[in-house]
Every structure is written in structure tokens, then in C-alpha cells.
Amino acid sequence: MEIETETREGLEALATHYHDILRLLGEDPGREGLQKTPLRVAKAMQVLTRGYQQDAHKVLTDALFAEPYNQMVIVKDIDFFSLCEHHILPFYGKAHVAYIPKGYITGLSKIARVVDIYSHRLQVQERMTQQIKDCIEQTLHPMGVMVVVEARHMCMQMRGVEKQNSITTTSAFSGAFNQAKTREEFMNLLRE
């Protein structure tokens, strides 16, 4: 099923609420340009929050392979878009994920899918970073995992302090990445 045509239960109720929101904002939901807006927004919100319907652990185990490789595997510059749970405004950026396998690897695209699943929920960047790390750690049982997320937050750019060029960076790590030398190797590889 295509992402843009995917709908879930509650679509009509969600559209009704958006109709009411438009009215409460002082708009006329019946005017030509807004007549279909409540349904469009409801569909968009279902797409933007589709991560609630997906199992990140299953994504990893569906492409799990026994492999004796035990050096760092990095998938960097994974684009993502998410919604800040405090203002329901977008934050977006790049995630960088590394793990050191211990007997098992997963398909490289599955790492990006894990980022996609957790970013398609109402989020805070700090929790999303931790969830990605925890999922890989609990599913693959590697020697270590490290996740770095860099993002721009529209809630800081469009409202509040209105700082256009600020970037927030978060990280989470475990296992072999508790050693400064291993973290430094990962960070150096990100810069290349």
C-alpha cells in the first residue's frame, strides 16, 4: 500500500476535529479553499504518525543474518522528519547510527527504517535518539550501539525564540561505545 493513500481508523473523526479547529481559528471551513482541508490534514497526520502502527524490532529481525563480522557498521546521513510532541510542529534532520555486530547483522536499509518508524510518531529528539539505540541493542545484541541525531526544530524557528540557524544534537550509546576511543572513531568517520 502506498504511504500517501494509507488510512487508518478514526480518519473521519480526525477530519471533524480539524473542521472545528479551522472554525475556532476564525476561518470559514465551508469556503472553497478550505472545504477539503480537514480531510487532507487528517490524512497527512495519519501518514506523519504511521510509526505507531509499525514494529521496529520486527523490521530488524526480518533481515537478520548470521555473520562473523565484528567491526563498526555505520549508516550515516539518514534523513528524517518528525513532529514535536509539545507543539505538533516539525523537526527534521539527519540520524547517524553505528553498531558493532556480535554474530548477527541486519540489512542496512533496516537501520534507516528503524529511524523512520520512531520519527513518525509525536516525539522529542532526546527520546527518539534513545529509542533507536534501544531497539538496535535489544534486537541485534551487538557489542555496542551509538546514535547521533542532528535536527532543526520548527518550534524554535517559527515561534518562541525564532532562532533560524540553531541545530540540536543528541546522542545515545552503549557497550563498546562507552569507551571514548570507540566514540571518537565513530565521530571521525562521520566527519569524513
Side-chain angles (χ1 to χ4, degrees), residues 17-179:
H17 289 294
Y18 281 113
H19 181 276
D20 293 342
I21 288 169
L22 288 172
R23 189 178 45 74
L24 290 168
L25 290 173
E27 268 294 352
D28 173 11
R31 77 174 169 84
E32 184 179 3
L34 293 176
Q35 288 175 1
K36 294 181 181 178
T37 297
L39 185 59
R40 285 189 198 108
V41 176
K43 286 179 179 179
M45 288 304 289
Q46 284 196 344
V47 169
L48 295 172
T49 61
R50 69 181 181 263
Y52 290 118
Q53 311 302 312
Q54 299 171 325
D55 183 344
H57 295 278
K58 184 175 182 335
V59 165
L60 290 176
T61 57
D62 281 352
L64 194 61
F65 308 102
E67 187 64 45
Y69 186 79
N70 64 358
Q71 300 299 310
M72 197 178 303
V73 175
I74 300 173
V75 182
K76 66 180 186 175
D77 296 329
I78 302 167
D79 292 318
F80 76 89
F81 298 88
S82 192
L83 290 174
C84 161
E85 70 179 31
H86 299 143
H87 304 99
I88 320 281
L89 287 172
F91 68 95
Y92 62 95
K94 294 189 181 297
H96 315 286
V97 179
Y99 74 101
I100 300 173
K102 186 168 65 178
Y104 290 93
I105 60 170
T106 189
L108 296 174
S109 69
K110 305 310 178 192
I111 300 294
R113 291 273 318 276
V114 168
V115 171
D116 189 59
I117 289 168
Y118 287 113
S119 67
H120 280 83
R121 299 177 181 188
L122 299 182
Q123 277 291 11
V124 294
Q125 182 175 333
E126 298 88 341
R127 182 176 59 241
M128 184 181 86
T129 305
Q130 188 71 38
Q131 287 174 328
I132 295 165
K133 183 208 63 89
D134 290 347
C135 177
I136 294 167
E137 185 173 43
Q138 294 164 7
T139 309
L140 300 181
H141 307 288
M143 288 186 261
V145 180
M146 185 161 177
V147 177
V148 173
V149 175
E150 303 169 301
R152 294 181 182 274
H153 292 252
M154 297 307 284
C155 57
M156 284 182 62
Q157 293 179 311
M158 294 175 67
R159 54 158 305 284
V161 297
E162 297 184 13
K163 299 301 174 205
Q164 306 308 311
N165 297 308
S166 64
I167 296 175
T168 302
T169 302
T170 51
S171 67
F173 53 88
S174 66
F177 289 96
N178 284 317
Q179 298 173 3

